[in-house]
Amino acid sequence: MTALKSFPIAGRWKPSDDSKIQLYSFPTPNGVKISIALEELGLPYEAHLAHIGEDDQKTPEFLSLSPNGKIPAIIDPDGPGGLPIGIFESGAILLYLAEKTGKLIPADPAARLECIQWLFFQMASVGPMFGQYGHFYKFAADKISDPYPTERYQNETNRLLGVLDQRLEGRTWIMGDDYTIADIATFPWVRTVRDFYEAGDAVGLDGFTNVTGWLERCLERPATVKGLTIPERP
């Protein structure tokens, strides 16, 4: 375990093969981004369940790798210069994996920057706003009487779906003909609004036909089918 022994998290979630990327995650929208990307890229990895319902992400071992106490996080034993590196934040991990392999991101500098912008669109807007909406719509509905929070985030979710729908007009994927980390970052959140929050009707999802068609294309990919189940939910 020479490559990983300096990482405290490897003492709690022990690798069986220290030559593989170690993924510490839970099958949330942010978590499955990385398992899907790893499956798309064909990189060897081991997935470790960091159970957020049991506060695994708040343990000292996990915090030593991910100071914000959020999944996912990875250790790549073959990082820059052949040295092991730990990375947290799903967007940073996606960008790292794409740059490591030269895949799932355009090679052209201008197109690469455009892809990164859409990745940041998900990280800065889609994830936080959809997540807040889901909280108030599904989990806090019986805890608050003021409709303002739910309406605020519902309106913003609807607006962001409109932005995405316009982007997808005439495009197969967010970047056009090529499937990229921008798609992988974004579609799990749209899926969650529809399937987990059960809020598709509330946000008028069916009216965004470019988004719904794109979502189905994302869900049909073999790497998605597998990645959505990793780590296996207990």
Side-chain angles (χ1 to χ4, degrees):
M1 211 171 72
T2 54
L4 301 178
K5 65 181 180 181
S6 62
F7 292 87
I9 196 169
R12 183 180 180 95
W13 289 276
K14 298 184 184 299
S16 60
D17 185 342
D18 68 352
S19 69
K20 294 181 178 181
I21 291 173
Q22 305 294 307
L23 168 63
Y24 309 92
S25 189
F26 194 82
T28 66
N30 286 333
V32 298
K33 294 176 190 176
I34 310 308
S35 51
I36 290 168
L38 289 166
E39 290 294 328
E40 288 281 355
L41 294 167
L43 291 171
Y45 72 101
E46 294 181 2
H48 305 278
L49 181 72
H51 199 313
I52 60 176
E54 297 178 1
D55 288 342
D56 283 348
Q57 78 280 12
K58 298 179 181 179
T59 60
E61 295 89 350
F62 193 92
L63 290 169
S64 70
L65 179 60
S66 179
N68 196 34
K70 302 288 185 181
I71 60 93
I74 68 166
I75 299 173
D76 183 1
D78 183 27
L83 299 175
I85 187 170
I87 308 170
F88 70 99
E89 286 294 332
S90 61
I93 298 169
L94 286 175
L95 188 56
Y96 169 77
L97 294 174
E99 293 187 333
K100 174 184 175 74
T101 60
K103 299 176 180 178
L104 297 176
I105 194 169
D108 174 77
R112 177 182 177 276
L113 179 57
E114 187 177 3
C115 180
I116 292 172
Q117 289 178 89
W118 285 100
L119 172 65
F120 281 27
F121 167 74
Q122 185 280 306
M123 297 298 298
S125 297
V126 170
M129 296 299 103
F130 286 20
Q132 289 295 328
Y133 175 54
H135 172 78
F136 287 105
Y137 179 82
K138 182 167 184 173
F139 299 109
D142 61 344
K143 298 179 176 64
I144 57 173
S145 57
D146 187 346
Y148 175 76
T150 305
E151 291 176 355
R152 170 180 168 79
Y153 291 114
Q154 180 172 304
N155 290 339
E156 185 63 2
T157 296
N158 182 273
R159 187 189 72 80
L160 292 168
L161 286 170
V163 173
L164 183 59
D165 199 71
Q166 184 176 23
R167 172 65 184 183
L168 288 165
E169 179 67 32
R171 292 181 171 91
T172 301
W173 309 110
I174 289 175
M175 287 301 298
D177 294 333
D178 296 323
Y179 183 75
T180 68
I181 54 175
D183 300 288
I184 294 173
T186 309
F187 87 80
W189 278 103
V190 179
R191 170 181 176 263
T192 293
V193 167
R194 186 190 69 180
D195 297 348
F196 183 63
Y197 298 153
E198 299 176 301
D201 289 343
V203 298
L205 182 59
D206 286 347
F208 299 105
T209 55
N210 295 325
V211 171
T212 56
W214 161 82
L215 175 60
E216 293 309 316
R217 290 191 292 275
C218 292
L219 292 173
E220 289 169 357
R221 297 179 70 91
T224 296
V225 174
K226 186 172 182 181
L228 285 173
T229 66
I230 298 172
E232 184 176 354
R233 185 180 288 271

